[in-house]
Amino acid sequence: MNESSLATACSDSQAMHPVTTAADSKMCPVFIIGAWKRSGTNFLADLLRLHPSFAVPPPLWEDYSLHSIDLLEEFSKQQVQHWKWWLREASASPADYEASLLHFMGQGLQEYFRAQIPEGKRLLCKTPSTKNLEKFFSLYPSVKLILLVRDGRDVVESACRSWTKSRFAYYARQWRDGSRRILNFVSEQGHDYPNQWMLCRYEDLVHGGDSVVELAKFLEIDDGKVDWKETDVDHIRGSSTERA
């Protein structure tokens, strides 16, 4: 690539960034992020897997891919430092190249996860943690994100039953911090990607009906293969505890 083509690529965001076209939007990866553990990420993943297109990459049932994004950002920054002389000669923006490199590393992670699922399936990932949520679309600019929240009283009670080594106050703080990060995302970063994320309440989804239909439309799986309006959620993991 000569200096002219390098400058052109830098100024053309479509050349620099992986994008999702209308043709493949129905197969773009879906990431579920819960406010914290016991927020219903297993339930939601199992609900979506009623549709035959979805698959979660075993044994990576929870990917936690945002937890190390700081390292990827530092790698991008240091790598572009080695290119700064060529970028300067081409009047190219180092910041654009840093962002683009991070985007492509996110694309590489998606391909890694896809390698764990059957060919032709739609990637479904989940993480019960909001750590680095504000950086989600820096790594995954072309996927769909579902943010899942659940009543903090139920989350803390469930955590106390499951993990007796920590105290009530610890679990309450974890839920509080995770919920705050989601609120911050909704009021800040979420404005830049209005059609790529959706906020869901576990209490709504676990009762089925309109909330599930709305989610199906957002993910473009309202194709008649599943009757989301009448979906029986009673047998799905996580719903029995809520009913009781």
Side-chain angles (χ1 to χ4, degrees):
M1 178 181 287
N2 57 34
E3 293 180 9
S4 176
S5 59
L6 181 63
T8 300
C10 188
S11 63
D12 185 350
S13 60
Q14 290 189 342
M16 290 295 296
H17 302 157
V19 296
T20 299
T21 65
D24 59 13
S25 64
K26 292 185 178 181
M27 289 299 290
C28 77
V30 174
F31 283 71
I32 301 170
I33 292 184
W36 195 59
K37 298 175 182 179
R38 299 308 193 205
S39 291
T41 53
N42 284 329
F43 167 80
L44 180 51
D46 287 357
L47 173 65
L48 294 179
R49 285 198 294 166
L50 294 177
H51 193 279
S53 67
F54 282 113
V56 176
L60 309 178
W61 302 114
E62 296 172 346
D63 63 279
Y64 287 92
S65 57
L66 285 180
H67 278 219
S68 299
I69 190 174
D70 296 342
L71 300 176
L72 297 180
E73 287 179 324
E74 182 60 25
F75 170 81
S76 297
K77 182 178 180 180
Q78 291 192 22
Q79 189 64 37
V80 170
Q81 281 295 310
H82 294 296
W83 302 340
K84 62 181 180 181
W85 302 112
W86 293 280
L87 298 180
R88 183 179 301 171
E89 291 177 1
S91 298
S93 168
D96 287 347
Y97 271 76
E98 286 182 26
S100 177
L101 184 54
L102 189 61
H103 291 173
F104 277 99
M105 285 192 287
Q107 190 73 17
L109 280 170
Q110 293 175 53
E111 293 303 320
Y112 181 79
F113 296 144
R114 279 196 186 99
Q116 319 300 321
I117 64 176
E119 185 175 356
K121 290 288 187 176
R122 185 176 182 181
L123 178 64
L124 178 63
C125 292
K126 57 185 173 68
T127 297
S129 169
T130 59
K131 181 179 179 182
N132 290 324
L133 173 61
E134 72 278 5
K135 301 177 181 179
F136 180 86
F137 285 114
S138 295
L139 189 63
Y140 302 120
S142 302
V143 309
K144 290 198 171 183
L145 169 65
I146 304 172
L147 298 174
L148 183 63
V149 296
R150 185 184 181 188
D151 191 302
R153 295 165 294 185
D154 294 328
V155 170
V156 174
E157 180 185 359
S158 179
C160 287
R161 288 200 310 265
S162 301
W163 307 297
T164 58
K165 291 183 179 180
S166 296
R167 296 184 178 183
F168 175 93
Y170 169 78
Y171 298 128
R173 286 194 299 270
Q174 296 302 311
W175 176 86
R176 176 201 65 189
D177 293 346
S179 298
R180 282 179 175 173
R181 292 190 192 103
I182 288 179
L183 287 174
N184 289 339
F185 175 91
V186 170
S187 62
E188 296 175 11
Q189 294 84 12
H191 290 299
D192 296 329
Y193 299 86
N195 300 316
Q196 289 181 240
W197 64 275
M198 182 176 182
L199 178 63
C200 296
R201 295 178 67 249
Y202 171 79
E203 289 81 6
D204 294 336
L205 296 175
V206 80
H207 291 120
D210 292 340
S211 295
V212 178
V213 171
E214 184 180 358
L215 178 59
K217 290 180 179 178
F218 168 69
L219 298 177
E220 299 181 71
I221 52 175
D222 53 337
D223 50 13
K225 294 182 180 179
V226 178
D227 184 355
W228 297 109
K229 183 71 173 180
E230 301 297 330
T231 297
D232 179 12
V233 300
D234 288 352
H235 66 286
I236 299 177
R237 205 172 19 157
S239 57
S240 58
T241 300
E242 197 281 340
R243 290 199 315 277

